[in-house]
Amino acid sequence: MSTPNDPYIPWQAPAHNPAQGAAPASAHVQEQVPHPLAPHPNPVPLPPVGWRPGYRQEQQELGYHQLSHADPKGAWWKPLVEAVIGVPLYLVLFLLLVVAFFFVLLLGLDPLLLSDPTYLLFSASTEALEQEALRSPSTFVFLFGSVALMFPALWAARLILGPKPWGLIHSVAGRMRWGWLATCCGLAALLVVVLPLAFDLAVGARYIPSTSLPTGGLIAMLVAIILVVPVQAYAEELVFRGYLMQTIGRWLKHPVWAIIIPAPLFMLGHLYDLWGQLSVLVMGLAAGYITWRTGGLEAAIALHVVNNLLAMSFGVLGMADPFLQQGSTVGIFISALVSNGLFVLVVIWAANRRGLERARPALVWVKESRPEEPQPVR
């Protein structure tokens, strides 16, 4: 029997009270037993998904970094468990890739490899892998594919546990906005490739291909770059701008934390010298800001893909040092600062012209504020 002090739960069915003055059921009338498969005459409504005592739903506009709140089943601890699931999955996939690469080396399936290539596995030298990756398609696929494997590992982990739908990691629209991605790729090609090359040529630079690869090997390398680099860059953006930004946004409301914190981690993932790492840091900050500002990963993916395609293609053609093994200069840092800053400004202008959505309306569970207890009069 309910009492006046019992909490009111709106979806709980009220207790049945016979109408006053109604005649009691006759003792000789046999009680009708309902059929077990018949619907209940007064079903009790289920509570809303994600309800907890002391919480209520509130309509909010969620920025990209807070999209995990759009999942009513979300919780603060889920990103941590998502990592516990995703990291072992990645290690398993990486082990399979190592085994596949070992058989390529053992069976001599890549004619462009060195005469004694097994040292690539046993020397554990990143520098040796990078040098060989510019002339061997299998080594290139192994090196960049090991990064691309972060995509299926994160995808599987998020399907198992993470915020759903999966498309929330792409944008506030809950999907990849393909038209906007194509626009950003065009802007990145103009601002990261065409303009810097035009400036270099104007000041007297000369880009002359210098490669010892045969024609067939060169074509194979360029095909490997075109097929693998977009997936590798996409996977990095999923982790550093997608997973990390939304994880931090789950705990810290202000977007500045979600933009800044992943950038040094992104920088440390690239083993360059000082100016090279600072250039990567600039790119990480630009990608984080533009992800939040446009409500999705598309602009960051476009910037990353175009930058890596240019660097690797020039590296294979012998016109650049994409891994910075010869060292970096302050000029590389200044170039990254200018090109990334210009890209951010132009993308913001294009997003405003397009009327791009930056936030997603959603019902969010928030803790109810308790009314202050009256203070006793003294």
Side-chain angles (χ1 to χ4, degrees):
M1 181 175 179
S2 63
T3 64
N5 293 327
D6 288 342
Y8 170 68
I9 302 178
W11 54 83
Q12 189 178 50
H16 175 70
N17 294 317
Q20 294 183 1
S26 302
H28 67 276
V29 177
Q30 185 177 2
E31 182 179 358
Q32 297 293 327
V33 179
H35 191 275
L37 298 181
H40 195 279
N42 296 307
V44 178
L46 295 175
V49 175
W51 176 82
R52 290 168 290 170
Y55 282 76
R56 60 180 175 81
Q57 280 188 316
E58 179 181 280
Q59 182 83 6
Q60 292 185 2
E61 294 286 327
L62 300 178
Y64 175 83
H65 66 299
Q66 289 194 301
L67 284 182
S68 58
H69 291 288
D71 183 0
K73 295 182 179 180
W76 68 267
W77 49 267
K78 281 195 172 184
L80 302 177
V81 181
E82 189 178 1
V84 171
I85 296 172
V87 171
L89 285 175
Y90 171 78
L91 294 177
V92 170
L93 294 173
F94 178 71
L95 180 60
L96 294 176
L97 182 63
V98 170
V99 172
F101 185 51
F102 177 80
F103 277 104
V104 170
L105 299 179
L106 190 65
L107 300 176
L109 299 179
D110 188 347
L112 297 177
L113 280 168
L114 299 175
S115 58
D116 186 18
T118 52
Y119 83 97
L120 289 175
L121 283 179
F122 298 111
S123 68
S125 171
T126 303
E127 184 177 352
L129 280 171
E130 290 174 349
Q131 289 177 349
E132 196 63 18
L134 294 177
R135 55 167 285 110
S136 162
S138 60
T139 308
F140 182 88
V141 170
F142 172 73
L143 188 62
F144 280 72
S146 62
V147 180
L149 290 178
M150 294 191 298
F151 158 47
L154 179 60
W155 174 73
R158 182 146 293 197
L159 287 185
I160 293 171
L161 185 72
K164 298 175 182 178
W166 158 254
L168 286 175
I169 202 170
H170 292 131
S171 74
V172 295
R175 57 178 176 81
M176 183 73 79
R177 298 171 293 188
W178 293 104
W180 175 238
L181 176 63
T183 300
C184 292
C185 285
L187 294 175
L190 175 64
L191 300 172
V192 180
V193 180
V194 177
L195 288 184
L197 290 181
F199 176 79
D200 289 347
L201 293 174
V203 297
R206 293 293 179 266
Y207 292 99
I208 302 174
S210 174
T211 177
S212 59
L213 290 174
T215 303
L218 180 59
I219 293 175
M221 280 300 307
L222 294 177
V223 169
I225 289 171
I226 293 172
L227 294 179
V228 179
V229 164
V231 185
Q232 167 262 327
Y234 168 66
E236 285 195 58
E237 292 307 313
L238 282 181
V239 172
F240 289 101
R241 253 62 65 183
Y243 170 75
L244 285 180
M245 282 189 69
Q246 292 185 353
T247 296
I248 295 166
R250 180 83 212 179
W251 304 329
L252 301 173
K253 184 176 182 180
H254 202 286
V256 69
W257 302 113
I259 294 169
I260 290 178
I261 293 177
L265 301 176
F266 179 65
M267 177 190 72
L268 294 175
H270 298 75
L271 304 178
Y272 302 147
D273 58 9
L274 175 62
W275 294 115
Q277 286 205 314
L278 289 178
S279 301
V280 174
L281 179 63
V282 167
M283 181 179 177
L285 291 172
Y289 176 76
I290 207 66
T291 295
W292 168 75
R293 186 62 177 74
T294 62
L297 290 176
E298 296 89 355
I301 292 171
L303 176 63
H304 204 152
V305 168
V306 171
N307 179 81
N308 285 15
L309 284 175
L310 174 68
M312 291 303 117
S313 299
F314 272 37
V316 168
L317 294 171
M319 298 189 299
D321 179 19
F323 299 113
L324 299 181
Q325 292 186 346
Q326 305 301 320
S328 62
T329 64
V330 65
I332 292 177
F333 170 71
I334 294 174
S335 176
L337 197 61
V338 172
S339 60
N340 284 278
L342 189 59
F343 177 76
V344 168
L345 293 176
V346 174
V347 165
I348 291 176
W349 172 82
N352 291 337
R353 288 289 302 271
R354 195 185 185 100
L356 202 66
E357 293 292 333
R358 296 175 49 194
R360 180 183 180 93
L363 288 173
V364 179
W365 289 105
V366 296
K367 196 172 184 62
E368 290 182 328
S369 57
R370 296 182 178 179
E372 294 184 1
E373 296 182 1
Q375 297 295 324
V377 179
R378 296 176 181 264

